[in-house]
Amino acid sequence: MSLRKRLIVSMLTILALLCVNVGTHFWGSLARNESMIAYRDSVRAGQLSDEIERLLEDQRQQVLVLALLKETTGDKLGASEQQAALDNIESINRKVLSLGRLSWDDTEQTYQNLKRSNDQLLEQWTRFYGGYNEEELNIDVENPLLYLETNQHLDALKQEQSKLAVERASIIDSTIKLTDRITVLAFITTLFLTFLLGFILVRYTNRSFKRLQKGTELIGAGDLSFRIQTADQSGELADLGRAFNDMSEKLANAIGEVQMAKEQADSANAAKSTFLANVSHELRTPLNAIIGYSEMIQEEVNDGEAINKDQLQEDLTKIVFSGRQLLTLINDVLDLAKIETGKMTIHPESFDPIATLHTVADSMAPLLNTQGNEMCWGIQGPLPCIHTDATKFRQIVTNLLSNANKFTEAGSITISAGITDCQEQIWIEVRDTGIGMTDKQLGRIFEAFEQAERSTSSRYGGTGLGLSLCQEFARMLGGDIKASSTPNVGSSFIVTLPVNLELDPEDA
Protein backbone atom coordinates (compact mmCIF):
# COMPACT_ATOMS: atom_id res chain seq x y z
CA MET A 1 0.00 0.00 0.00
CA SER A 2 1.30 3.43 -0.89
CA LEU A 3 2.23 6.06 1.70
CA ARG A 4 -0.63 8.26 0.53
CA LYS A 5 -3.14 5.45 0.97
CA ARG A 6 -1.72 4.59 4.39
CA LEU A 7 -2.12 8.20 5.51
CA ILE A 8 -5.67 8.34 4.14
CA VAL A 9 -6.61 5.07 5.87
CA SER A 10 -5.09 6.31 9.14
CA MET A 11 -6.98 9.61 8.99
CA LEU A 12 -10.24 7.84 8.12
CA THR A 13 -9.73 5.40 11.00
CA ILE A 14 -9.12 8.22 13.47
CA LEU A 15 -12.15 10.12 12.13
CA ALA A 16 -14.25 6.96 12.45
CA LEU A 17 -13.16 6.56 16.08
CA LEU A 18 -13.95 10.21 16.77
CA CYS A 19 -17.37 9.70 15.16
CA VAL A 20 -17.89 6.68 17.42
CA ASN A 21 -17.01 8.79 20.46
CA VAL A 22 -19.34 11.58 19.39
CA GLY A 23 -22.09 9.09 18.54
CA THR A 24 -21.66 7.38 21.91
CA HIS A 25 -21.90 10.73 23.64
CA PHE A 26 -25.09 11.69 21.82
CA TRP A 27 -26.58 8.24 22.32
CA GLY A 28 -25.84 8.45 26.04
CA SER A 29 -27.31 11.94 26.23
CA LEU A 30 -30.44 10.82 24.39
CA ALA A 31 -30.82 7.77 26.60
CA ARG A 32 -30.37 9.87 29.75
CA ASN A 33 -32.87 12.41 28.46
CA GLU A 34 -35.43 9.73 27.71
CA SER A 35 -34.87 8.14 31.10
CA MET A 36 -35.10 11.53 32.79
CA ILE A 37 -38.34 12.31 30.96
CA ALA A 38 -39.78 8.94 31.99
CA TYR A 39 -38.61 9.47 35.58
CA ARG A 40 -40.07 12.95 35.66
CA ASP A 41 -43.36 11.66 34.25
CA SER A 42 -43.43 8.93 36.88
CA VAL A 43 -42.84 11.44 39.68
CA ARG A 44 -45.43 13.81 38.24
CA ALA A 45 -47.89 10.92 37.87
CA GLY A 46 -47.36 10.06 41.57
CA GLN A 47 -47.95 13.64 42.61
CA LEU A 48 -51.04 13.83 40.39
CA SER A 49 -52.35 10.58 41.91
CA ASP A 50 -51.97 12.02 45.42
CA GLU A 51 -53.80 15.16 44.33
CA ILE A 52 -56.63 13.16 42.71
CA GLU A 53 -56.92 11.04 45.86
CA ARG A 54 -57.20 14.20 47.98
CA LEU A 55 -59.77 15.76 45.64
CA LEU A 56 -61.85 12.58 45.59
CA GLU A 57 -61.82 12.42 49.36
CA ASP A 58 -62.83 16.10 49.71
CA GLN A 59 -65.55 15.70 47.13
CA ARG A 60 -66.95 12.59 48.89
CA GLN A 61 -67.04 14.41 52.23
CA GLN A 62 -68.87 17.27 50.58
CA VAL A 63 -71.38 14.90 48.95
CA LEU A 64 -72.02 13.09 52.26
CA VAL A 65 -72.54 16.41 54.08
CA LEU A 66 -74.97 17.68 51.42
CA ALA A 67 -76.86 14.38 51.47
CA LEU A 68 -77.23 14.67 55.25
CA LEU A 69 -78.44 18.28 55.00
CA LYS A 70 -80.93 17.27 52.30
CA GLU A 71 -82.48 14.69 54.61
CA THR A 72 -82.56 16.84 57.75
CA THR A 73 -83.26 20.37 56.57
CA GLY A 74 -84.38 20.04 52.96
CA ASP A 75 -82.27 23.06 51.95
CA LYS A 76 -81.54 23.57 48.26
CA LEU A 77 -78.30 24.52 46.51
CA GLY A 78 -77.87 27.78 44.76
CA ALA A 79 -76.97 27.83 41.09
CA SER A 80 -73.47 29.07 41.83
CA GLU A 81 -72.89 26.40 44.43
CA GLN A 82 -74.26 23.76 42.13
CA GLN A 83 -72.01 24.96 39.22
CA ALA A 84 -68.93 25.12 41.49
CA ALA A 85 -69.53 21.51 42.54
CA LEU A 86 -69.85 20.41 38.93
CA ASP A 87 -66.66 22.30 38.06
CA ASN A 88 -64.81 20.45 40.82
CA ILE A 89 -66.03 17.15 39.41
CA GLU A 90 -64.89 18.18 35.92
CA SER A 91 -61.51 19.21 37.33
CA ILE A 92 -61.11 15.75 38.87
CA ASN A 93 -61.97 14.19 35.52
CA ARG A 94 -59.37 16.32 33.68
CA LYS A 95 -56.70 15.37 36.17
CA VAL A 96 -57.55 11.70 35.69
CA LEU A 97 -57.21 12.18 31.93
CA SER A 98 -53.86 13.94 32.49
CA LEU A 99 -52.80 10.99 34.61
CA GLY A 100 -53.66 8.73 31.68
CA ARG A 101 -51.35 10.71 29.38
CA LEU A 102 -48.53 10.14 31.88
CA SER A 103 -49.17 6.40 31.94
CA TRP A 104 -46.99 3.85 30.12
CA ASP A 105 -47.71 0.47 28.63
CA ASP A 106 -46.87 -1.16 31.96
CA THR A 107 -49.61 0.84 33.77
CA GLU A 108 -52.15 1.07 30.98
CA GLN A 109 -54.43 -1.70 32.29
CA THR A 110 -54.42 -0.32 35.84
CA TYR A 111 -55.22 3.14 34.54
CA GLN A 112 -58.15 1.83 32.47
CA ASN A 113 -59.56 0.17 35.57
CA LEU A 114 -59.15 3.44 37.47
CA LYS A 115 -60.76 5.48 34.71
CA ARG A 116 -63.75 3.13 34.49
CA SER A 117 -64.47 3.20 38.21
CA ASN A 118 -63.72 6.93 38.39
CA ASP A 119 -66.11 7.68 35.52
CA GLN A 120 -68.88 5.78 37.32
CA LEU A 121 -68.15 7.58 40.56
CA LEU A 122 -68.04 11.03 38.97
CA GLU A 123 -71.20 10.28 36.98
CA GLN A 124 -72.97 9.39 40.25
CA TRP A 125 -71.80 12.62 41.85
CA THR A 126 -72.81 14.62 38.78
CA ARG A 127 -76.34 13.18 38.88
CA PHE A 128 -76.38 13.90 42.63
CA TYR A 129 -75.66 17.54 42.14
CA GLY A 130 -77.90 17.77 39.08
CA GLY A 131 -80.96 16.42 40.95
CA TYR A 132 -80.17 17.83 44.40
CA ASN A 133 -82.90 20.48 44.28
CA GLU A 134 -85.62 17.99 43.30
CA GLU A 135 -88.15 16.78 45.85
CA GLU A 136 -86.88 13.23 45.94
CA LEU A 137 -83.24 12.20 45.36
CA ASN A 138 -83.05 8.51 44.38
CA ILE A 139 -79.23 8.33 44.35
CA ASP A 140 -77.44 6.29 47.00
CA VAL A 141 -74.27 8.34 47.50
CA GLU A 142 -73.61 6.88 50.93
CA ASN A 143 -72.62 3.52 49.41
CA PRO A 144 -68.76 3.66 49.50
CA LEU A 145 -68.23 0.81 47.02
CA LEU A 146 -67.42 2.94 43.96
CA TYR A 147 -65.28 5.31 46.00
CA LEU A 148 -63.33 2.48 47.58
CA GLU A 149 -62.91 0.75 44.23
CA THR A 150 -61.62 3.98 42.69
CA ASN A 151 -59.22 4.54 45.59
CA GLN A 152 -58.06 0.95 45.29
CA HIS A 153 -57.29 1.35 41.58
CA LEU A 154 -55.63 4.71 42.29
CA ASP A 155 -53.42 3.16 44.98
CA ALA A 156 -52.47 0.33 42.62
CA LEU A 157 -51.60 2.87 39.95
CA LYS A 158 -49.53 4.88 42.45
CA GLN A 159 -47.59 1.75 43.44
CA GLU A 160 -46.88 0.86 39.81
CA GLN A 161 -45.80 4.42 39.08
CA SER A 162 -43.50 4.43 42.10
CA LYS A 163 -42.01 1.17 40.95
CA LEU A 164 -41.51 2.64 37.45
CA ALA A 165 -39.90 5.74 38.94
CA VAL A 166 -37.40 3.53 40.81
CA GLU A 167 -36.73 1.51 37.64
CA ARG A 168 -36.26 4.67 35.60
CA ALA A 169 -33.80 5.99 38.16
CA SER A 170 -31.91 2.72 38.02
CA ILE A 171 -31.91 2.85 34.22
CA ILE A 172 -30.56 6.41 34.34
CA ASP A 173 -27.73 5.31 36.60
CA SER A 174 -26.97 2.29 34.39
CA THR A 175 -27.07 4.43 31.27
CA ILE A 176 -24.70 6.97 32.74
CA LYS A 177 -22.28 4.23 33.79
CA LEU A 178 -22.50 2.50 30.38
CA THR A 179 -21.97 5.68 28.39
CA ASP A 180 -19.08 6.66 30.61
CA ARG A 181 -17.47 3.26 30.11
CA ILE A 182 -18.03 3.36 26.35
CA THR A 183 -16.61 6.89 26.16
CA VAL A 184 -13.52 5.94 28.15
CA LEU A 185 -13.08 2.72 26.16
CA ALA A 186 -13.47 4.55 22.85
CA PHE A 187 -11.03 7.22 23.98
CA ILE A 188 -8.45 4.63 25.01
CA THR A 189 -9.02 2.69 21.76
CA THR A 190 -8.58 5.90 19.78
CA LEU A 191 -5.32 6.63 21.54
CA PHE A 192 -4.09 3.06 21.03
CA LEU A 193 -5.02 2.90 17.34
CA THR A 194 -3.58 6.37 16.73
CA PHE A 195 -0.32 5.28 18.34
CA LEU A 196 -0.37 1.97 16.44
CA LEU A 197 -1.06 3.63 13.06
CA GLY A 198 1.61 6.24 13.74
CA PHE A 199 4.09 3.50 14.68
CA ILE A 200 3.27 1.53 11.51
CA LEU A 201 3.64 4.63 9.33
CA VAL A 202 6.95 5.60 10.97
CA ARG A 203 8.24 2.04 10.66
CA TYR A 204 7.16 1.80 7.01
CA THR A 205 8.65 5.16 6.01
CA ASN A 206 11.82 4.56 8.04
CA ARG A 207 12.36 1.14 6.45
CA SER A 208 11.68 2.49 2.95
CA PHE A 209 13.97 5.47 3.44
CA LYS A 210 16.71 3.21 4.77
CA ARG A 211 16.47 1.07 1.64
CA LEU A 212 16.60 4.20 -0.49
CA GLN A 213 19.55 5.56 1.49
CA LYS A 214 21.46 2.29 1.21
CA GLY A 215 20.70 2.08 -2.51
CA THR A 216 21.79 5.65 -3.23
CA GLU A 217 24.99 5.17 -1.22
CA LEU A 218 25.90 1.97 -3.07
CA ILE A 219 24.93 3.39 -6.46
CA GLY A 220 26.82 6.58 -5.69
CA ALA A 221 29.83 4.47 -4.71
CA GLY A 222 29.78 2.84 -8.15
CA ASP A 223 27.90 -0.42 -7.47
CA LEU A 224 25.52 -0.07 -10.41
CA SER A 225 24.47 -3.72 -10.17
CA PHE A 226 22.69 -3.08 -6.85
CA ARG A 227 18.88 -2.86 -7.03
CA ILE A 228 16.59 -1.40 -4.38
CA GLN A 229 13.93 -3.95 -3.38
CA THR A 230 10.52 -2.75 -4.61
CA ALA A 231 8.87 -6.03 -5.68
CA ASP A 232 6.49 -6.18 -2.66
CA GLN A 233 5.83 -2.45 -2.48
CA SER A 234 3.68 0.12 -4.18
CA GLY A 235 3.22 3.82 -3.95
CA GLU A 236 5.41 6.90 -4.02
CA LEU A 237 8.43 5.45 -2.19
CA ALA A 238 8.36 2.31 -4.35
CA ASP A 239 8.16 4.50 -7.47
CA LEU A 240 11.16 6.45 -6.18
CA GLY A 241 13.04 3.17 -5.64
CA ARG A 242 12.18 2.01 -9.17
CA ALA A 243 13.34 5.38 -10.49
CA PHE A 244 16.70 4.86 -8.75
CA ASN A 245 16.89 1.33 -10.19
CA ASP A 246 16.12 2.63 -13.69
CA MET A 247 18.74 5.33 -13.26
CA SER A 248 21.28 2.74 -12.11
CA GLU A 249 20.45 0.49 -15.06
CA LYS A 250 20.72 3.37 -17.51
CA LEU A 251 24.02 4.45 -15.97
CA ALA A 252 25.31 0.89 -16.22
CA ASN A 253 24.20 0.70 -19.86
CA ALA A 254 25.76 4.09 -20.58
CA ILE A 255 29.02 3.06 -18.93
CA GLY A 256 28.91 -0.22 -20.84
CA GLU A 257 28.34 1.66 -24.09
CA VAL A 258 31.17 4.01 -23.25
CA GLN A 259 33.39 1.04 -22.42
CA MET A 260 32.37 -0.67 -25.64
CA ALA A 261 32.98 2.53 -27.58
CA LYS A 262 36.37 2.83 -25.89
CA GLU A 263 37.20 -0.75 -26.81
CA GLN A 264 36.07 -0.10 -30.37
CA ALA A 265 38.11 3.09 -30.46
CA ASP A 266 41.12 1.23 -29.09
CA SER A 267 40.56 -1.49 -31.66
CA ALA A 268 40.21 1.13 -34.38
CA ASN A 269 43.36 2.86 -33.20
CA ALA A 270 45.18 -0.47 -33.15
CA ALA A 271 43.84 -1.23 -36.63
CA LYS A 272 44.91 2.19 -37.86
CA SER A 273 48.31 1.76 -36.26
CA THR A 274 48.65 -1.57 -38.07
CA PHE A 275 47.36 0.10 -41.21
CA LEU A 276 49.97 2.87 -40.96
CA ALA A 277 52.68 0.27 -40.46
CA ASN A 278 51.41 -1.65 -43.49
CA VAL A 279 51.09 1.54 -45.54
CA SER A 280 54.62 2.55 -44.67
CA HIS A 281 55.80 -0.87 -45.81
CA GLU A 282 53.64 -0.78 -48.93
CA LEU A 283 54.89 2.72 -49.75
CA ARG A 284 58.54 1.92 -49.18
CA THR A 285 58.47 -1.22 -51.33
CA PRO A 286 57.48 0.43 -54.64
CA LEU A 287 59.44 3.58 -53.82
CA ASN A 288 62.58 1.55 -53.16
CA ALA A 289 61.98 -0.29 -56.44
CA ILE A 290 61.50 2.98 -58.33
CA ILE A 291 64.59 4.55 -56.75
CA GLY A 292 66.69 1.41 -57.13
CA TYR A 293 65.91 0.81 -60.80
CA SER A 294 66.25 4.54 -61.53
CA GLU A 295 69.72 4.57 -59.95
CA MET A 296 70.71 1.50 -61.98
CA ILE A 297 69.61 3.20 -65.21
CA GLN A 298 71.44 6.37 -64.17
CA GLU A 299 74.68 4.38 -63.59
CA GLU A 300 74.40 2.68 -66.98
CA VAL A 301 73.93 6.03 -68.68
CA ASN A 302 76.90 7.58 -66.82
CA ASP A 303 79.23 4.67 -67.70
CA GLY A 304 79.19 5.72 -71.33
CA GLU A 305 78.89 2.15 -72.49
CA ALA A 306 76.30 0.92 -74.91
CA ILE A 307 72.90 0.59 -73.23
CA ASN A 308 71.20 -2.76 -73.27
CA LYS A 309 67.76 -1.82 -74.56
CA ASP A 310 66.10 -5.04 -73.45
CA GLN A 311 67.43 -4.62 -69.91
CA LEU A 312 66.48 -0.93 -69.96
CA GLN A 313 62.97 -1.82 -71.12
CA GLU A 314 62.63 -4.38 -68.32
CA ASP A 315 63.79 -1.90 -65.69
CA LEU A 316 61.48 0.80 -66.97
CA THR A 317 58.59 -1.68 -66.89
CA LYS A 318 59.33 -2.45 -63.24
CA ILE A 319 59.52 1.28 -62.49
CA VAL A 320 56.13 1.85 -64.16
CA PHE A 321 54.60 -1.15 -62.32
CA SER A 322 55.91 0.10 -58.97
CA GLY A 323 54.61 3.61 -59.73
CA ARG A 324 51.17 2.28 -60.59
CA GLN A 325 51.17 0.16 -57.45
CA LEU A 326 52.10 3.23 -55.43
CA LEU A 327 49.41 5.30 -57.17
CA THR A 328 46.79 2.64 -56.46
CA LEU A 329 47.70 2.63 -52.79
CA ILE A 330 47.55 6.41 -52.55
CA ASN A 331 44.24 6.49 -54.45
CA ASP A 332 42.75 3.96 -52.02
CA VAL A 333 43.75 6.06 -49.01
CA LEU A 334 42.43 9.25 -50.62
CA ASP A 335 39.18 7.56 -51.65
CA LEU A 336 38.60 6.30 -48.11
CA ALA A 337 39.27 9.78 -46.75
CA LYS A 338 36.75 11.25 -49.20
CA ILE A 339 34.11 8.67 -48.20
CA GLU A 340 34.59 9.33 -44.46
CA THR A 341 34.35 13.10 -44.95
CA GLY A 342 31.39 12.84 -47.37
CA LYS A 343 33.33 14.45 -50.22
CA MET A 344 33.14 11.49 -52.58
CA THR A 345 31.09 12.41 -55.68
CA ILE A 346 29.38 10.23 -58.29
CA HIS A 347 29.56 10.86 -62.05
CA PRO A 348 27.19 8.47 -63.80
CA GLU A 349 27.60 7.70 -67.50
CA SER A 350 26.47 5.03 -69.93
CA PHE A 351 28.94 2.30 -70.92
CA ASP A 352 29.23 -1.35 -71.93
CA PRO A 353 29.96 -3.43 -68.82
CA ILE A 354 31.44 -6.39 -70.77
CA ALA A 355 33.97 -4.16 -72.58
CA THR A 356 34.93 -2.56 -69.26
CA LEU A 357 35.41 -5.99 -67.66
CA HIS A 358 37.74 -7.07 -70.50
CA THR A 359 39.72 -3.82 -70.22
CA VAL A 360 40.22 -4.33 -66.49
CA ALA A 361 41.16 -7.98 -67.01
CA ASP A 362 43.73 -7.05 -69.68
CA SER A 363 45.32 -4.49 -67.34
CA MET A 364 45.55 -7.17 -64.62
CA ALA A 365 47.16 -9.75 -66.95
CA PRO A 366 50.76 -9.03 -65.86
CA LEU A 367 49.86 -9.52 -62.19
CA LEU A 368 48.06 -12.78 -62.96
CA ASN A 369 51.05 -14.05 -64.93
CA THR A 370 53.33 -13.24 -62.00
CA GLN A 371 51.24 -15.45 -59.69
CA GLY A 372 50.78 -18.11 -62.36
CA ASN A 373 47.00 -17.70 -62.39
CA GLU A 374 44.65 -18.27 -65.30
CA MET A 375 41.78 -15.92 -66.18
CA CYS A 376 38.42 -17.58 -66.98
CA TRP A 377 35.16 -16.08 -68.16
CA GLY A 378 31.50 -16.86 -67.48
CA ILE A 379 29.43 -14.14 -69.12
CA GLN A 380 25.78 -15.24 -69.26
CA GLY A 381 24.24 -13.78 -72.40
CA PRO A 382 24.47 -10.25 -73.70
CA LEU A 383 24.36 -7.47 -71.11
CA PRO A 384 22.70 -4.10 -71.71
CA CYS A 385 24.55 -0.82 -71.37
CA ILE A 386 24.40 0.45 -67.82
CA HIS A 387 24.20 4.00 -66.53
CA THR A 388 26.42 4.37 -63.47
CA ASP A 389 29.84 5.68 -62.40
CA ALA A 390 32.30 3.91 -64.73
CA THR A 391 35.38 4.84 -62.69
CA LYS A 392 34.05 3.31 -59.50
CA PHE A 393 32.80 0.30 -61.46
CA ARG A 394 36.35 -0.29 -62.72
CA GLN A 395 37.79 0.24 -59.22
CA ILE A 396 35.42 -2.38 -57.76
CA VAL A 397 36.36 -4.98 -60.37
CA THR A 398 40.07 -4.09 -60.18
CA ASN A 399 40.14 -4.44 -56.39
CA LEU A 400 38.29 -7.76 -56.52
CA LEU A 401 40.65 -9.16 -59.18
CA SER A 402 43.69 -7.86 -57.31
CA ASN A 403 42.46 -9.40 -54.06
CA ALA A 404 41.71 -12.74 -55.75
CA ASN A 405 45.11 -12.77 -57.45
CA LYS A 406 46.93 -11.92 -54.20
CA PHE A 407 45.61 -14.98 -52.39
CA THR A 408 45.77 -17.43 -55.32
CA GLU A 409 48.87 -19.10 -56.72
CA ALA A 410 48.89 -21.27 -59.86
CA GLY A 411 45.11 -21.35 -59.81
CA SER A 412 42.24 -19.84 -61.72
CA ILE A 413 40.24 -16.64 -61.37
CA THR A 414 36.80 -16.57 -62.98
CA ILE A 415 34.85 -13.45 -63.91
CA SER A 416 31.12 -14.04 -64.40
CA ALA A 417 28.36 -11.54 -65.12
CA GLY A 418 24.66 -11.54 -65.85
CA ILE A 419 21.39 -9.72 -65.38
CA THR A 420 18.71 -10.46 -62.80
CA ASP A 421 15.27 -11.77 -63.71
CA CYS A 422 13.67 -8.36 -63.15
CA GLN A 423 16.08 -6.82 -65.73
CA GLU A 424 16.84 -4.00 -63.29
CA GLN A 425 20.21 -5.14 -61.88
CA ILE A 426 23.37 -6.74 -63.18
CA TRP A 427 25.68 -8.93 -61.16
CA ILE A 428 29.41 -9.52 -61.42
CA GLU A 429 31.10 -12.42 -59.67
CA VAL A 430 34.85 -12.85 -59.09
CA ARG A 431 35.67 -16.41 -58.00
CA ASP A 432 39.13 -17.74 -57.17
CA THR A 433 40.70 -21.03 -56.11
CA GLY A 434 42.91 -19.48 -53.44
CA ILE A 435 43.39 -20.05 -49.73
CA GLY A 436 39.79 -19.23 -48.80
CA MET A 437 38.51 -18.00 -45.42
CA THR A 438 36.67 -19.22 -42.34
CA ASP A 439 33.33 -17.74 -41.27
CA LYS A 440 35.07 -15.71 -38.56
CA GLN A 441 37.56 -14.30 -41.07
CA LEU A 442 34.74 -13.64 -43.52
CA GLY A 443 33.00 -11.39 -40.97
CA ARG A 444 35.92 -8.91 -40.87
CA ILE A 445 36.93 -8.54 -44.51
CA PHE A 446 34.74 -5.49 -45.26
CA GLU A 447 35.96 -3.49 -42.26
CA ALA A 448 38.35 -0.64 -43.04
CA PHE A 449 41.99 -1.21 -42.05
CA GLU A 450 41.16 -4.87 -41.30
CA GLN A 451 42.25 -8.09 -42.94
CA ALA A 452 41.11 -11.66 -42.42
CA GLU A 453 44.13 -12.35 -40.22
CA ARG A 454 46.74 -10.06 -38.67
CA SER A 455 49.46 -12.13 -40.28
CA THR A 456 47.95 -11.64 -43.76
CA SER A 457 49.59 -8.26 -44.34
CA SER A 458 53.04 -9.57 -43.46
CA ARG A 459 52.63 -12.65 -45.65
CA TYR A 460 50.65 -11.34 -48.63
CA GLY A 461 50.95 -7.58 -48.26
CA GLY A 462 48.16 -5.04 -48.65
CA THR A 463 46.52 -2.43 -46.44
CA GLY A 464 43.07 -3.90 -45.84
CA LEU A 465 41.30 -1.09 -47.75
CA GLY A 466 40.44 -2.80 -51.03
CA LEU A 467 37.33 -4.77 -50.01
CA SER A 468 36.10 -1.98 -47.74
CA LEU A 469 36.25 0.44 -50.69
CA CYS A 470 34.46 -2.12 -52.89
CA GLN A 471 31.59 -2.29 -50.43
CA GLU A 472 31.41 1.49 -50.02
CA PHE A 473 31.46 2.07 -53.82
CA ALA A 474 28.84 -0.64 -54.43
CA ARG A 475 26.48 0.94 -51.89
CA MET A 476 27.09 4.42 -53.26
CA LEU A 477 26.05 3.10 -56.67
CA GLY A 478 22.82 1.66 -55.21
CA GLY A 479 23.99 -1.95 -54.98
CA ASP A 480 25.79 -4.24 -52.57
CA ILE A 481 28.46 -6.90 -52.36
CA LYS A 482 28.34 -10.35 -50.77
CA ALA A 483 31.12 -12.82 -50.09
CA SER A 484 31.32 -16.56 -49.50
CA SER A 485 34.37 -18.70 -48.95
CA THR A 486 35.63 -22.15 -48.03
CA PRO A 487 39.08 -22.63 -46.48
CA ASN A 488 41.62 -24.13 -48.94
CA VAL A 489 38.96 -24.14 -51.69
CA GLY A 490 38.51 -20.51 -52.67
CA SER A 491 36.38 -17.41 -52.32
CA SER A 492 33.57 -15.77 -54.25
CA PHE A 493 32.54 -12.10 -54.34
CA ILE A 494 29.26 -11.08 -56.02
CA VAL A 495 28.49 -7.43 -56.76
CA THR A 496 24.95 -6.33 -57.70
CA LEU A 497 24.39 -2.90 -59.26
CA PRO A 498 21.29 -1.22 -60.72
CA VAL A 499 21.23 -0.88 -64.49
CA ASN A 500 20.14 2.76 -64.24
CA LEU A 501 21.51 4.70 -61.29
CA GLU A 502 19.01 7.24 -59.93
CA LEU A 503 20.68 9.94 -57.84
CA ASP A 504 19.03 11.93 -55.06
CA PRO A 505 18.97 15.71 -55.66
CA GLU A 506 21.54 16.13 -52.88
CA ASP A 507 23.97 13.69 -54.56
CA ALA A 508 23.46 15.01 -58.10
Side-chain angles (χ1 to χ4, degrees), residues 279-326:
V279 166
S280 65
H281 173 73
E282 294 294 328
L283 288 174
R284 283 195 300 267
T285 299
L287 281 175
N288 288 333
I290 292 172
I291 294 172
Y293 285 112
S294 297
E295 288 177 349
M296 290 172 59
I297 293 173
Q298 187 179 19
E299 289 176 358
E300 290 180 3
V301 172
N302 291 335
D303 287 343
E305 298 178 359
I307 298 175
N308 187 343
K309 292 184 178 181
D310 294 336
Q311 184 63 39
L312 180 61
Q313 181 66 32
E314 183 180 351
D315 292 341
L316 290 173
T317 301
K318 292 179 180 179
I319 290 173
V320 172
F321 176 76
S322 298
R324 288 179 177 174
Q325 186 179 5
L326 183 61

Side-chain angles (χ1 to χ4, degrees), residues 237-288:
L237 297 179
D239 293 339
L240 184 59
R242 282 189 284 272
F244 275 111
N245 291 338
D246 293 341
M247 179 187 69
S248 175
E249 184 176 358
K250 290 178 180 178
L251 285 175
N253 293 335
I255 292 175
E257 291 175 358
V258 171
Q259 185 68 27
M260 185 180 298
K262 181 179 179 299
E263 293 176 356
Q264 291 177 352
D266 293 340
S267 177
N269 288 332
K272 288 186 178 181
S273 298
T274 304
F275 165 74
L276 292 176
N278 294 339
V279 166
S280 65
H281 173 73
E282 294 294 328
L283 288 174
R284 283 195 300 267
T285 299
L287 281 175
N288 288 333

Side-chain angles (χ1 to χ4, degrees), residues 142-409:
E142 294 181 356
N143 187 359
L145 182 61
L146 285 177
Y147 173 75
L148 293 175
E149 184 180 356
T150 301
N151 275 339
Q152 183 180 1
H153 292 314
L154 186 60
D155 290 338
L157 182 61
K158 286 171 59 178
Q159 291 178 1
E160 291 181 359
Q161 288 171 342
S162 298
K163 182 179 178 182
L164 286 176
V166 173
E167 291 179 354
R168 296 300 178 186
S170 177
I171 290 174
I172 291 173
D173 294 337
S174 300
T175 303
I176 292 173
K177 291 179 181 180
L178 178 61
T179 53
D180 289 342
R181 289 175 183 176
I182 293 175
T183 302
V184 172
L185 180 61
F187 179 75
I188 294 174
T189 304
T190 302
L191 290 179
F192 174 74
L193 289 179
T194 303
F195 173 77
L196 180 62
L197 291 173
F199 174 77
I200 293 174
L201 285 175
V202 171
R203 181 183 176 186
Y204 167 75
T205 53
N206 187 42
R207 185 170 53 190
S208 299
F209 279 123
K210 280 186 176 180
R211 279 200 292 263
L212 291 174
Q213 180 183 5
K214 180 181 178 181
T216 52
E217 289 176 353
L218 292 176
I219 293 172
D223 186 6
L224 299 180
S225 62
F226 180 80
R227 294 293 180 269
I228 300 173
Q229 297 180 0
T230 59
D232 57 343
Q233 291 183 333
S234 62
E236 297 82 2
L237 297 179
D239 293 339
L240 184 59
R242 282 189 284 272
F244 275 111
N245 291 338
D246 293 341
M247 179 187 69
S248 175
E249 184 176 358
K250 290 178 180 178
L251 285 175
N253 293 335
I255 292 175
E257 291 175 358
V258 171
Q259 185 68 27
M260 185 180 298
K262 181 179 179 299
E263 293 176 356
Q264 291 177 352
D266 293 340
S267 177
N269 288 332
K272 288 186 178 181
S273 298
T274 304
F275 165 74
L276 292 176
N278 294 339
V279 166
S280 65
H281 173 73
E282 294 294 328
L283 288 174
R284 283 195 300 267
T285 299
L287 281 175
N288 288 333
I290 292 172
I291 294 172
Y293 285 112
S294 297
E295 288 177 349
M296 290 172 59
I297 293 173
Q298 187 179 19
E299 289 176 358
E300 290 180 3
V301 172
N302 291 335
D303 287 343
E305 298 178 359
I307 298 175
N308 187 343
K309 292 184 178 181
D310 294 336
Q311 184 63 39
L312 180 61
Q313 181 66 32
E314 183 180 351
D315 292 341
L316 290 173
T317 301
K318 292 179 180 179
I319 290 173
V320 172
F321 176 76
S322 298
R324 288 179 177 174
Q325 186 179 5
L326 183 61
L327 179 62
T328 301
L329 176 62
I330 294 173
N331 285 336
D332 288 346
V333 175
L334 293 177
D335 287 342
L336 182 63
K338 288 181 180 180
I339 292 173
E340 289 182 347
T341 58
K343 299 297 181 63
M344 179 64 71
T345 58
I346 299 174
H347 302 284
E349 57 181 295
S350 298
F351 60 93
D352 183 2
I354 297 180
T356 303
L357 290 175
H358 281 286
T359 301
V360 173
D362 292 341
S363 66
M364 294 294 297
L367 290 177
L368 270 68
N369 293 332
T370 302
Q371 292 287 95
N373 293 322
E374 178 185 3
M375 177 68 71
C376 302
W377 293 88
I379 306 298
Q380 298 182 6
L383 298 181
C385 289
I386 62 175
H387 185 75
T388 188
D389 193 316
T391 302
K392 291 179 176 54
F393 180 84
R394 285 193 293 270
Q395 284 182 268
I396 293 173
V397 178
T398 300
N399 285 341
L400 292 178
L401 289 175
S402 176
N403 187 75
N405 182 68
K406 181 169 63 175
F407 297 105
T408 304
E409 294 182 3

